[in-house]
Amino acid sequence: METKISKVSLIWVIIMVGFAMHMLADMLPAFWGADIAMPDATGEAPMGMMLFMIGMAFFVPICGLLCMNYRNCKAMRIINLVLACVMMLFNIFHATELLMEFSPVQLLIHPVMVLLGIYLFVYSLRLVKRKG
């Protein structure tokens, strides 16, 4: 039985933690009485955006982890590679929001998430190529 944790699985878990820290960093000012609501907030949460963020922060990483659980199957490694590509692109595009609305706290999180997305993609690509 294989007990070694793959780099890819570990990066998926760290990405999930990164998304949790990203959300926490946005919410922390509320503890000091700051209004953290978006300026144009109407009081109704946009369901599509919430589903998208849950998908990116939870569903995609969980599917990637499940694929790594069955990494002896080439199809699972390819699906993981596609998910890793989606995650990498999302992290890169999401980090560009810092150019529109700068946040020093998020400046600590976004570059790490971009690097993790790139590493995840590179290691997933190596896994697909190496195992044939």
Side-chain angles (χ1 to χ4, degrees), residues 93-109:
F93 289 130
H94 186 57
T96 62
E97 290 179 8
L98 283 174
L99 301 174
M100 293 174 262
E101 187 178 330
F102 182 75
S103 167
V105 174
Q106 295 299 345
L107 184 60
L108 298 173
I109 296 171

Side-chain angles (χ1 to χ4, degrees), residues 22-42:
H22 177 35
M23 180 193 64
L24 183 62
D26 281 339
M27 294 173 54
L28 278 175
F31 290 103
W32 287 274
D35 183 12
I36 61 171
M38 297 176 80
D40 57 345
T42 63

Side-chain angles (χ1 to χ4, degrees), residues 3 9 11 14 18 20-21 43 46 48-49 52 58 65 78 80 89 101 104 116:
T3 57
S9 296
I11 294 172
I14 295 170
M21 293 300 99
M49 181 58 79
F52 177 74
F58 179 73
L65 279 170
I78 291 171
N80 175 72
L89 293 173
E101 187 178 330
L116 285 169

